[in-house]
Amino acid sequence: MTRFVQSEMHPQRWGDPARAAALPESARGLVELAFGLDERPAVDEAPLPASGLDAGPLERLRGVLGAQHVLTDDTTRRLRTRGKSTPDLLRARAGDLADAPDVVVRPGGHDDVAAVLAWAVEHRVAVVPFGGGTSVTGGLVARREGYAGLVSLDLVRMKRLVAVDPVSMTATLEPGLRGPEAESLLAEQGLTLGHFPQSFEYATIGGFAATRSSGQSSAGYGRFDALVMGLRVATPRGEWVLGSSPANAAGPDLRQLVLGSEGAFGVITEVTVRVRRLPAVKVYESWRWPSFDAGADAMRTLAQAGMLPTVIRLSDENETAINLARPDAIGGPESGGCLMITGYEGEPAAVEAKRVAVTAVLEGLGGVALGTDPGDAWAHGRFDAPYLRDSMLDVGVLVETTETATWWSNRARLYADVKAALAASLGDDAMVLCHVSHVYETGCSLYFTVAVKADADALPQWAAAKAAASDAMVAAGATITHHHAVGTDHKPWLTHEIGELGGSVLRAVKADLDPTGVLNPGVLIP
Amino acid sequence: MTRFVQSEMHPQRWGDPARAAALPESARGLVELAFGLDERPAVDEAPLPASGLDAGPLERLRGVLGAQHVLTDDTTRRLRTRGKSTPDLLRARAGDLADAPDVVVRPGGHDDVAAVLAWAVEHRVAVVPFGGGTSVTGGLVARREGYAGLVSLDLVRMKRLVAVDPVSMTATLEPGLRGPEAESLLAEQGLTLGHFPQSFEYATIGGFAATRSSGQSSAGYGRFDALVMGLRVATPRGEWVLGSSPANAAGPDLRQLVLGSEGAFGVITEVTVRVRRLPAVKVYESWRWPSFDAGADAMRTLAQAGMLPTVIRLSDENETAINLARPDAIGGPESGGCLMITGYEGEPAAVEAKRVAVTAVLEGLGGVALGTDPGDAWAHGRFDAPYLRDSMLDVGVLVETTETATWWSNRARLYADVKAALAASLGDDAMVLCHVSHVYETGCSLYFTVAVKADADALPQWAAAKAAASDAMVAAGATITHHHAVGTDHKPWLTHEIGELGGSVLRAVKADLDPTGVLNPGVLIP
C-alpha cells in the first residue's frame, strides 16, 4: 500500500508509464461485446505553445529561486499541464497543450513560495500551485487572460516531515509529499495518516488539504479536513499560521476556510495532521445484499450506532455485476445483488471485537458474508482504476466518474435522479455504476462511474452528461462534490450550493488575501 | 436534567430567582475561614439610562414588528443588559446599567429578523442578538458610538422545532430554544441533542452555534459545532442557507465561518443538528488518581485509543479538595489526589461494554475506582455552580473562571503557566482550581476557577488576573477560549491566535455580509 512511485505521471495518461498497459485480452472481449473496439491512439508529441513570459521577469525569477529551480523546457511544462480528469486526458491525447504553463518553478520551502508570490504580484503573473497533478475537476486549468504569464508552482521539493509530536499524536508535513512518501516517513515512527484516496500514489499532502480530500478509509480515520490540526499558508499578504488547539471557540474556525481553498487564497506550505499508530492487523471482508437500498440501510445502521468499520463501501447492482465479471473475478456461484466491502484496521483485539460486533449487526439485517476474497481483491486493486480508464480510452470507450453526497433520507432520490440524468444524456448503451464509499451518521456519498462508446469528439459528450448529473445533484439539494473539489468544472453549480452570499464571501476573502488575484485565477471562486 | 426554567434570569444574578440562595450555613464557615465574610448586598433598583432611540425610527420599528413586540419598558431593558460574566454581574450589582439597550425587539421568525436588520441598516442602529443572555465573555456588550441606538434582538419567540428527519437523524431548531426546551421537544420523539454546557438551563440553540459551545458530554456527543449540519442566517444582505450534505469538498466549509461568528455576520434563524436516540441508561462513575498528570495521561490514553466515555472530566488536586470539602461531601476516608468523573450513556449493552473496557484501561493505569456516588453528585449539581458564584459575591468573595485548550504535549506547561499567572496576580490567598472537561485525540481543555477575597472594586482586580492568564495562554501557544467565545473580553488576544491575516479575513467577511456594521459592533472582530 505504501509502494513508492518515483516517476512523473505520463502527460497523457494516469500514473506510472511503466504500469500503463493495454486492456488485458480477457477484458477486451467484454469491452468489445459491450461497446465495440475502436482503437484511438493518442497523438504522441504534441507541440507546446511557446513560453510567453518576458525575459525580464523570467530573469528576476531566476534570481529569486536560482536558475536550476526555474524550468521552461518543453518536457517539464508538458508534465505540469492540467490534471487528470477525463476531459484533461482527452485534450492531452488530442495534442491540445494550450494550458501549458509558461514556466515551472520549484520552491524549496515556505520562504521560497512567499518570494515567488511577491514576484508574481509585482509582474502580475498567475500562479497555479501544483502537487500531485491529480485534479479531476479542472483545478489546474487557471484563467490566463489579464496576466503576463502563468507559473506552475511545483511543490516537488517540499517533502519534509517537519515535526512529529508522539504525545499529541500529530505530525507536521510539507505539502509536496505524495501519499506513499508521507506514509513511509510516518511508518518509520510507527505512525500512519490513514488517508488513502484512489489518487493516493500521486496526490500530495498539500492537495489533500486544498481540496478536502476523503480517503477510502474515511470511516475509520476521518476525512482529510478532519485530520488537519494546523496550517501554514503563504499568501500574497504574508504568512498565515493557524491551529492553536484541537478545537476552540475563538471565533470561526478559519482552518476550515483554508481547507478546500484550492490554492485561491494562498499556498499551503505546512500541514499539521492527527496521526494514528500503524495498524497491526488489517482484515477486509465482504458481504452481499439483496439490493442497494438494503445495503445502504445497513451502512446507516452501523453509522448511527457508532459502529463503523475502518473501510466500508457498497456497490450498486450494476457495479457489482461489473466487478464480478472482471478477469480477476470475485464472488462465487451465488453472485448478484450488491457487494459491500468492510475493512478493519488496528490492534488485533480491537479489530476482532469490532468485526464480531459489525458481523452480528450485518447478519441481523440480512447480509450474506462472502469471506475475505472479494475484500482482499478490492484492497489489492484499490489504486488501479485510473489505469483502466486510459486503457478504455485507447479502445474508444469513455470512462468517467462524478460524485456527490446527501442526507440518508435523500439518498434513494439522489441516486435515481443522477442515474437517470446520466442515462438520458449518454444513451441506453451507457453503463452507469454507483457506489457508496463515505458514510456519516446523517448521510453518505454517492460515486457514479459511466462507461460509454466515445463520440468522435468525446468532450461535448461528457460535458453534457456531467451538466445533466450536476443539475440533478443541485436540484436534489445535494452537494456538487463530496471529495473532488470545485476546480473549474464544478464552479457553475457552486452558487446553488453555498448561495449568492457564499460566493460573495469567498470573493471577499480572496480579495483580502490575494488582492491582485494572482492565485489560481478562475478556480473555485464563483 | 431537562427541567424547564420558564423564568427570566435575575438581572444581577445567574438563573432562576427562585433558586437563588444565600450561602448554606455549612459552607459559610469554610468561606469565612478562607476569606473572611464581607456582606456586599447588590444595589436593588438601579436607574436605567433613558431609551435613546428617536421617536420616528421607533415608530417605524413598531410598524415592522407590531407594537407588542417592541419593548422599551425598564424591566425588559434591564433583563437584556449584558451577560453573566463576573464583571457583568459586578457592574449590575453596583447599579451600572449603562449598557442597557434602547429597545428590545422580539421577532417571530426569520422574516421578522430580516425586517429588523433592514430597519437597523436604514437607521444605523446597532443590533445585539440575544438568546439566553448567558455570555461570560462580554458578547452582549456592543459598542454604541456611531450608532443611533442599540436594539436587543431577543429570540425568545423563535422556539419552534421546525423539522425532524428520523432517517438522517437530524433536527432543525429555531435559535431561541433554551437547552431544556430543545431537549424536551426532541425527547417527545425519542431523540436528544446531548449538548449540556453548564449554561444549559438558560442558553439557547442560536447561542450554542454562534459561540461554538461545548457541553459536558462532548466526549460522547461532540462539540456543538460538530453537531451542526445546516444553518439559516439572516444577514443585512439577505438570507444565507448552508448545509448540502454531512461533509463535502465544495470549497471551504462556510458553515464553520458562521459557527463562532457571535452575531457579527448575521443572525442565525435556524440550526439543523445531528441528533441521537435518547439514552436508555446513564451511569456516572468516579476515579481517584494520584496526580493531575496521571489522570490526564489516562484521559489521553482513552482518547487516542478511541475509547472515550460520554462524559469525562478530571479535577486537579485543589479542585478535588474543594469538592471533597463541600457540604454535600463526596469521597471516603481515602480522599485526596485527583477526582475523575466518567459517564456512560446509551443502550444498556453498549454502555456496559464501554464501561468494562474503560474500567480495564483505567485500572491498568493506576486509577482507583470510587464507585458511583461522586459521579452522581456531580451529575446532580452539574448546572448549579453559577448560583454558588452569586452567593460568594454576596459575602465578598470573587469567583470567576477562565479556560483554554492545547495539545497534550503542552498541557503541563499551560497548566503551570496559567496557574502561576493567576496566583501572581491575585495573591497567595487566592484559590486556583482547574479541571479538564473536554478531551480530544490530540489535546484537551483546561478550565480554571479562582476564588479570592474581592477588592472594594473587584473589576480591576479580575481584569488584571484575566489579562495575566490570557497572556500566559497565548505565550504558551494555546487558545484564548475553548468554549466561551471571544466577545469583547477575549478580543485583545484573538490576533495572537489567528494572526493579523485572520483578523483581516474576519473584517473582510464582516464588511461583505454587514457592510454598514450594524451587527453586534465591537464584538469578536479584531
Side-chain angles (χ1 to χ4, degrees):
Chain A
M1 183 171 303
T2 56
R3 56 192 162 194
F4 266 77
V5 184
Q6 297 289 357
S7 64
E8 296 275 2
M9 285 209 271
H10 189 287
Q12 296 171 321
R13 305 177 79 90
W14 177 267
D16 182 358
R19 278 167 66 196
L23 208 59
E25 271 310 312
S26 51
R28 238 180 122 82
L30 286 173
V31 173
E32 183 165 21
L33 197 66
F35 305 108
L37 294 179
D38 179 13
E39 305 288 343
R40 305 214 189 162
V43 174
D44 261 354
E45 284 293 327
L48 252 77
S51 173
L53 203 59
D54 286 348
L58 194 58
E59 200 46 42
R60 293 180 66 172
L61 184 58
R62 292 194 177 104
V64 168
L65 280 193
Q68 71 274 34
H69 302 308
V70 177
L71 307 169
T72 55
D73 64 281
D74 280 8
T75 302
T76 304
R77 290 171 58 219
R78 181 181 292 115
L79 288 167
R80 295 295 172 263
T81 304
R82 304 193 192 99
K84 295 293 176 182
S85 68
T86 296
D88 287 344
L89 294 176
L90 288 169
R91 288 194 181 91
R93 292 167 74 99
D96 171 2
L97 291 167
D99 291 310
D102 295 297
V103 53
V104 177
V105 299
R106 296 189 168 160
H110 176 93
D111 292 346
D112 277 359
V113 173
V116 170
L117 294 186
W119 168 89
V121 168
E122 186 184 344
H123 298 284
R124 195 160 172 78
V125 175
V127 177
V128 181
F130 191 99
T134 60
S135 169
V136 291
T137 57
L140 300 170
V141 189
R143 195 181 64 235
R144 312 176 76 106
E145 297 77 45
Y147 295 88
L150 189 146
V151 170
S152 175
L153 186 87
D154 188 348
L155 297 160
V156 68
R157 289 172 61 213
M158 294 174 63
K159 288 183 185 283
R160 285 189 310 145
L161 171 58
V162 178
V164 170
D165 178 345
V167 175
S168 309
M169 291 295 278
T170 63
T172 301
L173 302 161
E174 282 194 323
L177 284 164
R178 288 181 181 170
E181 294 166 341
E183 286 293 343
S184 178
L185 288 169
L186 291 170
E188 289 172 15
Q189 313 209 22
L191 303 173
T192 181
L193 186 52
H195 185 69
F196 304 109
Q198 198 172 62
S199 59
F200 170 73
E201 294 179 326
Y202 286 89
T204 58
I205 295 296
F208 294 151
T211 63
R212 292 185 172 271
S213 172
S214 192
Q216 295 165 349
S217 309
S218 64
Y221 293 96
R223 299 167 54 83
F224 197 80
D225 51 18
L227 304 179
V228 173
M229 298 289 112
L231 292 156
R232 186 183 187 195
V233 188
T235 82
R237 288 189 53 214
E239 180 184 15
W240 195 14
V241 177
L242 290 167
S244 65
S245 45
N248 61 67
D253 188 347
L254 297 174
R255 294 176 293 200
Q256 301 296 329
L257 201 53
V258 175
L259 294 165
S261 64
E262 303 185 31
F265 295 163
V267 180
I268 295 167
T269 58
E270 287 179 16
V271 184
T272 299
V273 287
R274 183 179 79 195
V275 292
R276 302 266 169 77
R277 305 251 167 254
L278 267 178
V281 177
K282 299 184 184 187
V283 179
Y284 300 106
E285 298 186 329
S286 61
W287 296 80
R288 195 177 59 247
W289 296 90
S291 68
F292 197 42
D293 282 349
D297 280 348
M299 289 175 132
R300 178 169 69 86
T301 300
L302 290 176
Q304 294 178 347
M307 291 175 65
L308 284 174
T310 312
V311 171
I312 188 160
R313 49 193 295 128
L314 173 73
S315 295
D316 73 353
E317 289 82 352
N318 284 355
E319 189 173 287
T320 300
I322 291 287
N323 264 327
L324 297 175
R326 268 181 13 192
D328 53 340
I330 53 178
E334 301 174 288
S335 60
C338 289
L339 180 71
M340 174 188 282
I341 307 291
T342 51
Y344 308 87
E345 302 181 5
E347 291 304 301
V351 161
E352 188 54 18
K354 177 70 77 74
R355 200 189 66 76
V356 167
V358 170
T359 297
V361 170
L362 297 185
E363 284 178 343
L365 292 170
V368 176
L370 298 179
T372 56
D373 284 358
D376 288 344
W378 168 79
H380 179 75
R382 62 198 288 193
F383 305 125
D384 291 344
Y387 288 100
L388 185 65
R389 177 177 56 158
D390 289 317
S391 307
M392 297 284 273
L393 280 176
D394 289 340
V395 296
V397 179
L398 173 75
V399 177
E400 183 54 307
T401 64
T402 189
E403 43 79 38
T404 179
T406 192
W407 316 106
W408 286 116
S409 59
N410 196 39
R411 178 196 56 75
R413 178 214 164 162
L414 180 64
Y415 173 66
D417 287 0
V418 174
K419 201 172 150 176
L422 288 167
S425 179
L426 292 170
D428 288 345
D429 294 339
M431 285 185 186
V432 181
L433 324 176
C434 185
H435 65 251
V436 176
S437 48
H438 304 271
V439 173
Y440 306 88
E441 286 183 59
T442 56
C444 67
S445 68
L446 288 175
Y447 185 107
F448 296 87
T449 302
V450 302
V452 64
K453 185 170 175 58
D455 288 351
D457 183 357
L459 280 169
Q461 181 186 17
W462 174 245
K466 174 80 175 173
S470 300
D471 287 347
M473 290 172 192
V474 298
T479 182
I480 189 68
T481 176
H482 172 266
H483 59 270
H484 283 136
V486 176
T488 49
D489 294 355
H490 290 147
K491 221 170 66 162
W493 289 272
L494 184 60
T495 303
H496 290 275
E497 183 162 346
I498 63 172
E500 293 290 344
L501 285 182
S504 181
V505 162
L506 291 182
R507 283 190 294 275
V509 174
K510 168 87 172 171
D512 189 63
L513 293 172
D514 178 24
T516 54
V518 296
L519 279 165
N520 224 1
V523 170
L524 174 63
I525 313 292
Chain B
M1 183 172 303
T2 54
R3 57 191 159 194
F4 267 78
V5 184
Q6 297 289 359
S7 66
E8 297 274 4
M9 285 209 270
H10 188 287
Q12 296 172 319
R13 305 176 78 91
W14 178 267
D16 182 358
R19 277 167 66 196
L23 207 58
E25 271 310 311
S26 51
R28 238 178 122 81
L30 286 172
V31 173
E32 182 167 22
L33 197 66
F35 305 108
L37 294 178
D38 179 13
E39 306 288 343
R40 303 211 191 166
V43 174
D44 261 355
E45 284 293 329
L48 252 77
S51 175
L53 203 58
D54 287 348
L58 193 58
E59 201 45 43
R60 293 180 65 172
L61 184 58
R62 291 194 178 104
V64 168
L65 280 194
Q68 71 274 35
H69 302 309
V70 177
L71 307 167
T72 55
D73 63 283
D74 279 8
T75 302
T76 304
R77 290 171 58 219
R78 181 181 290 115
L79 288 167
R80 295 294 172 263
T81 304
R82 306 194 190 97
K84 295 294 177 183
S85 68
T86 297
D88 287 344
L89 295 177
L90 287 169
R91 288 194 181 91
R93 292 167 72 99
D96 171 3
L97 290 169
D99 292 310
D102 295 296
V103 54
V104 177
V105 299
R106 295 189 167 160
H110 177 94
D111 292 346
D112 276 0
V113 174
V116 171
L117 294 186
W119 169 88
V121 167
E122 186 183 346
H123 299 283
R124 196 162 172 75
V125 174
V127 178
V128 181
F130 191 99
T134 59
S135 170
V136 291
T137 58
L140 300 170
V141 189
R143 196 181 65 235
R144 311 176 77 106
E145 297 78 45
Y147 295 89
L150 189 146
V151 169
S152 175
L153 185 88
D154 189 348
L155 297 160
V156 69
R157 288 173 61 213
M158 294 174 64
K159 288 183 185 283
R160 285 187 310 145
L161 171 58
V162 178
V164 170
D165 178 346
V167 175
S168 309
M169 290 295 278
T170 63
T172 301
L173 303 161
E174 281 195 324
L177 284 163
R178 288 180 181 170
E181 293 166 343
E183 286 293 342
S184 178
L185 288 169
L186 291 170
E188 289 172 15
Q189 314 210 20
L191 303 173
T192 180
L193 186 53
H195 185 68
F196 304 109
Q198 199 173 61
S199 59
F200 170 74
E201 294 178 328
Y202 286 88
T204 58
I205 295 296
F208 294 151
T211 63
R212 291 185 172 272
S213 171
S214 192
Q216 294 165 351
S217 308
S218 64
Y221 292 96
R223 298 166 55 84
F224 197 81
D225 51 18
L227 303 180
V228 174
M229 299 289 112
L231 291 157
R232 186 182 188 196
V233 188
T235 82
R237 287 191 52 214
E239 180 185 15
W240 194 15
V241 177
L242 289 168
S244 64
S245 46
N248 62 66
D253 188 347
L254 297 174
R255 293 176 293 201
Q256 302 296 328
L257 201 54
V258 175
L259 294 165
S261 63
E262 303 184 31
F265 295 162
V267 179
I268 295 168
T269 58
E270 286 180 15
V271 185
T272 299
V273 288
R274 184 178 80 195
V275 292
R276 301 266 169 77
R277 305 248 168 259
L278 268 177
V281 177
K282 299 183 184 189
V283 180
Y284 301 105
E285 297 186 329
S286 61
W287 295 80
R288 196 177 58 246
W289 295 90
S291 68
F292 196 44
D293 282 349
D297 281 348
M299 290 176 132
R300 178 169 69 85
T301 300
L302 291 176
Q304 294 178 348
M307 292 174 65
L308 284 174
T310 312
V311 171
I312 188 161
R313 50 195 294 129
L314 173 73
S315 296
D316 72 352
E317 289 83 352
N318 284 357
E319 190 173 286
T320 300
I322 292 288
N323 263 328
L324 297 175
R326 270 183 8 194
D328 52 340
I330 53 179
E334 302 174 289
S335 61
C338 288
L339 181 71
M340 173 187 283
I341 307 291
T342 52
Y344 308 87
E345 302 182 4
E347 291 304 301
V351 161
E352 187 54 17
K354 177 70 78 76
R355 201 190 65 77
V356 167
V358 170
T359 297
V361 170
L362 297 185
E363 284 180 342
L365 292 170
V368 176
L370 297 179
T372 55
D373 284 358
D376 288 343
W378 168 80
H380 179 75
R382 62 198 290 193
F383 306 125
D384 290 344
Y387 289 100
L388 185 64
R389 176 177 58 158
D390 289 317
S391 306
M392 297 285 273
L393 280 176
D394 289 340
V395 295
V397 179
L398 173 75
V399 177
E400 183 54 306
T401 64
T402 188
E403 43 79 38
T404 177
T406 191
W407 316 107
W408 286 117
S409 59
N410 197 39
R411 179 196 55 78
R413 179 215 163 160
L414 180 65
Y415 173 66
D417 287 1
V418 174
K419 201 171 149 176
L422 288 167
S425 179
L426 292 170
D428 290 344
D429 293 339
M431 283 185 187
V432 181
L433 324 176
C434 184
H435 65 250
V436 175
S437 48
H438 304 271
V439 172
Y440 306 89
E441 285 183 60
T442 56
C444 66
S445 68
L446 288 176
Y447 186 106
F448 296 88
T449 303
V450 301
V452 64
K453 185 170 175 56
D455 287 351
D457 182 357
L459 280 169
Q461 181 187 16
W462 174 245
K466 173 82 175 172
S470 301
D471 288 347
M473 290 172 192
V474 299
T479 182
I480 191 67
T481 176
H482 172 265
H483 59 271
H484 282 135
V486 175
T488 48
D489 295 355
H490 290 147
K491 221 169 67 162
W493 290 273
L494 184 60
T495 303
H496 290 276
E497 183 162 345
I498 64 171
E500 293 290 343
L501 286 181
S504 181
V505 162
L506 291 182
R507 284 189 295 273
V509 173
K510 169 86 172 168
D512 189 63
L513 292 172
D514 179 24
T516 54
V518 296
L519 280 164
N520 224 1
V523 170
L524 174 64
I525 313 292

